[in-house]
Amino acid sequence: EFRNAGKIIEPLRTFYKDEVRELGRELSLPAELVNRHPFPGPGLGPRIICQLDLYPWYLENYNDFNNRLNLICSYHRLRTTQSQMLNSLEAQLSDAKREFLISLKDHPRIYPVLLPVRTVGVQGDGRTYSYAAAFSCETGAQVKWDVLSHLTKLVTMLCPNVNRCCFVFGDKIEGPVRDITPTLLNPGAISRLREADAAAMDMLRQHDALKLVSQMPVVLLPLHFDRASRHDPSTKHSVVLR
């Protein structure tokens, strides 16, 4: 309302991050400030995904979407089977997309899962608020990042309910993720994210990589992956390096 009325002055609104940083250098601002992440961007609060509902997977047709995600990543093994979902997928594949999915047979097996959290992402020409998907592989697998990058683009095109993909380090994740760790914006959650954010920024500084990455927000997710059993309660959080 205030912005539409012209009562908010935003001199940097049309600037890109690199241009804002360059302006900061011309103003002789300290490098520690100019190169900080995110810049400009949200503080700790907006980067803590809060949720109280233990089972937020109210997404309609959750199983269908999760199965479609698995079908895309396992297309090279399942393409000779007969199913309505496969026929629907085939209708959306160009020759180039089909060849790429078949080529995944030469990559360590990718385990996809639909996550019960929503994220803001770009699909087509606009931003959407939809679900994230996660990829994982067995411990020690030689992951090819260019392959995962290409797969991410395909998934967000073929699954309209998914607008972002991430990779989960550690062991493979099998089966759906349907519960979360109840999380509020409280001192405990803020302290946990502050510690993770400091560790990530220290690593960038040690490798002199702050200038190489435009931004890397560290986000706290209410997801507990490394449980001995899916029947164990979700009590921990995961950290996203975005």
Side-chain angles (χ1 to χ4, degrees):
E1 180 179 343
F2 286 105
R3 181 179 288 111
N4 293 335
K7 294 182 179 181
I8 296 179
I9 299 175
E10 299 178 276
L12 305 182
R13 184 167 59 90
T14 59
F15 283 56
Y16 291 101
K17 291 180 178 63
D18 292 343
E19 294 172 327
V20 176
R21 284 196 168 103
E22 185 59 34
L23 181 60
R25 295 187 185 99
E26 291 185 11
L27 293 174
S28 300
L29 295 180
E32 182 72 11
L33 178 61
V34 173
N35 294 326
R36 70 180 289 273
H37 290 246
F39 178 87
L44 293 176
R47 291 187 275 139
I48 298 174
I49 307 303
C50 298
Q51 176 64 268
L52 280 180
D53 188 356
L54 186 60
Y55 298 100
W57 53 285
Y58 49 79
L59 172 64
E60 186 179 359
N61 298 325
Y62 176 92
N63 289 331
D64 289 342
F65 288 139
N66 196 58
N67 290 338
R68 183 177 180 82
L69 189 59
N70 277 275
L71 178 60
I72 292 172
C73 294
S74 302
Y75 176 81
H76 60 286
R77 293 186 294 107
L78 303 175
R79 63 193 179 98
T80 58
T81 61
Q82 297 293 325
S83 72
Q84 184 176 353
M85 186 174 292
L86 179 61
N87 293 337
S88 174
L89 177 62
E90 284 282 9
Q92 293 182 269
L93 295 179
S94 64
D95 290 341
K97 293 175 183 176
R98 187 175 292 106
E99 289 177 8
F100 170 77
L101 292 181
I102 293 174
S103 73
L104 291 181
K105 69 181 187 300
D106 299 322
H107 188 277
R109 183 174 176 180
I110 298 170
Y111 296 81
V113 64
L114 189 67
L115 299 179
V117 294
R118 290 186 177 185
T119 174
V120 175
V122 177
Q123 283 179 297
D125 297 326
R127 290 183 176 274
T128 60
Y129 183 59
S130 196
Y131 287 81
F135 301 138
S136 63
C137 294
E138 294 183 352
T139 302
Q142 297 297 311
V143 177
K144 299 177 181 177
W145 300 112
D146 58 330
V147 171
L148 288 184
S149 177
H150 195 138
L151 180 59
T152 293
K153 295 176 182 177
L154 271 186
V155 165
T156 55
M157 284 191 292
L158 300 173
C159 294
N161 63 300
V162 175
N163 64 8
R164 189 182 297 277
C165 298
C166 59
F167 183 79
V168 181
F169 289 91
D171 201 4
K172 61 186 179 185
I173 301 171
E174 293 186 280
V177 178
R178 291 174 169 164
D179 59 339
I180 56 94
T181 300
T183 304
L184 289 173
L185 188 60
N186 55 32
I190 294 173
S191 176
R192 193 170 294 115
L193 178 58
R194 182 180 290 115
E195 182 180 356
D197 185 80
M201 294 304 107
D202 285 345
M203 186 62 66
L204 289 180
R205 293 188 191 94
Q206 289 175 20
H207 294 274
D208 197 23
L210 283 171
K211 296 180 181 179
L212 303 179
V213 182
S214 61
Q215 71 168 353
M216 191 182 76
V218 181
V219 181
L220 191 71
L221 286 186
L223 299 177
H224 184 179
F225 291 116
D226 55 347
R227 288 177 272 175
S229 168
R230 280 289 147 205
H231 299 292
D232 293 342
S234 180
T235 59
K236 298 182 180 180
H237 294 82
S238 296
V239 172
V240 176
L241 303 181
R242 178 172 169 268

